[in-house]
Amino acid sequence: MSRFKRILLKLSGESLMGNQQYGIDPKRLGDYARQIKEIHEMGVQIGIVIGGGNIFRGVSGAQKGFDRVKGDQMGMLATVINSLALSSALAAEGVKNKVLTAIRMEPIGEFYTKWHAIEAMEQGNVCIFSAGTGSPYFTTDTGSSLRGLEIEADVMLKGTRVDGVYTADPEKDPEAVKFTDITYDEVLARGLKVMDLTAICMCNDNNLPIYVFNMDVVGNLKKVIEGEEIGTLVHH
Ligand code: UDP
């Protein structure tokens, strides 16, 4: 049984690299697609936002001399590339899905509107929201908060490489303490890195809970959906 009717799943582009230095690891992509298939079969309505950091980030581009707005547009296109890869992997698993784009680019994807997205999800499609917000100076964290709110998701599931929110990077600091439950205000007050601050504030202001968990462990997505406490809830 699912504890959620509709979710927004945020996946980072970087985790698509798997053990590679760049690009898309087909094995990791396949693992993600099968995990998504598992919860889709449970009847959960699924919207997905995927990052582009495995291919291009506007900020890094600007440091190397690219115009920031053009760099961000390149980053948004990188999210479209990842979205198409995920769409293809889902289709190979027999999962009906649609890529919706924040910037018009038919026939690569259909232009996003809230109503089109909800209708597609209600008809059993997984919806992949690509090109972030469509505007520069934002990230896919902000994009996923925005889409999560627009599609009236019950929760934003942030699939990362660690199993929750820590006081420090658990891979570097053995003293790092993990939260099992934390409020937005504490996250803001302590300056904890969960996602970018604009995204946290948007969720905070509009009561969208965020659940942070390790998506790289196969089977974890289903556990989260079934209510197993394997991550960290960030809430009002
Ligand atoms: N981006 C943007 N506007 C958005 C979303 C993304 O300009 O609404 C650009 C930005 O340059 C960002 C890049 O796309 O660095 C890739 O997204 P992000 O860094 O969020 O990817 P992730 O870290 O999740 O892999």
Side-chain angles (χ1 to χ4, degrees):
M1 261 293 282
S2 169
R3 61 170 159 165
F4 307 115
K5 175 175 178 263
R6 184 179 295 152
I7 63 160
L8 190 290
L9 177 64
K10 161 76 208 301
L11 301 172
S12 84
E14 254 181 12
S15 51
L16 269 192
M17 292 191 295
N19 297 322
Q20 303 176 175
Q21 298 299 310
Y22 176 84
I24 300 170
D25 171 13
K27 183 184 173 303
R28 172 61 49 79
L29 190 66
D31 285 347
Y32 278 0
R34 281 183 290 277
Q35 290 202 73
I36 294 161
K37 178 183 182 167
E38 236 180 352
I39 65 160
H40 186 243
E41 284 173 347
M42 293 166 74
V44 185
Q45 291 184 18
I46 307 164
I48 301 175
V49 168
I50 185 153
N54 55 321
I55 301 173
F56 200 85
R57 280 209 175 95
V59 176
S60 334
Q63 285 161 1
K64 291 176 195 143
F66 283 88
D67 174 78
R68 173 66 195 267
V69 172
K70 291 200 192 301
D72 280 339
Q73 289 172 336
M74 290 166 74
M76 286 186 266
L77 291 177
T79 74
V80 178
I81 293 176
N82 286 335
S83 298
L84 292 176
L86 184 62
S87 167
S88 165
L90 285 170
E93 292 293 331
V95 180
K96 277 204 304 179
N97 70 87
K98 277 183 194 285
V99 174
L100 303 180
T101 63
I103 301 167
R104 275 199 186 279
M105 55 178 91
E106 295 96 343
I108 285 177
E110 295 166 45
F111 190 48
Y112 168 85
T113 67
K114 162 185 176 158
W115 298 280
H116 185 37
I118 290 179
E119 191 185 359
M121 285 187 291
E122 284 180 342
Q123 288 168 353
N125 290 281
V126 170
C127 281
I128 307 171
F129 305 123
S130 68
T133 61
S135 296
Y137 297 97
F138 288 101
T139 64
T140 48
D141 279 348
T142 8
S144 58
S145 308
L146 179 64
R147 295 295 179 241
L149 290 167
E150 285 184 287
I151 65 165
E152 299 167 29
D154 301 315
V155 68
M156 180 193 314
L157 300 181
K158 185 163 158 81
T160 67
R161 288 173 154 171
V162 289
D163 62 352
V165 181
Y166 287 83
T167 49
D169 184 342
E171 280 163 16
K172 293 186 189 138
D173 185 349
E175 308 277 294
V177 176
K178 184 191 167 194
F179 296 93
T180 48
D181 189 7
I182 187 165
T183 64
Y184 292 112
D185 291 344
E186 279 177 282
V187 168
L188 291 171
R190 289 167 184 259
L192 296 169
K193 186 82 187 89
V194 181
M195 53 205 308
D196 76 53
L197 286 184
T198 317
I200 286 279
C201 291
M202 274 178 76
C203 294
N204 187 15
D205 290 349
N206 297 288
N207 302 322
L208 178 64
I210 303 171
Y211 193 80
V212 186
F213 72 105
N214 186 347
M215 176 83 183
D216 291 357
V217 176
V218 174
N220 269 0
L221 179 59
K222 182 160 184 257
K223 287 184 183 165
V224 169
I225 295 295
E226 286 175 335
E228 238 183 270
E229 295 305 342
I230 56 165
T232 307
L233 180 66
V234 187
H235 62 108
H236 221 59

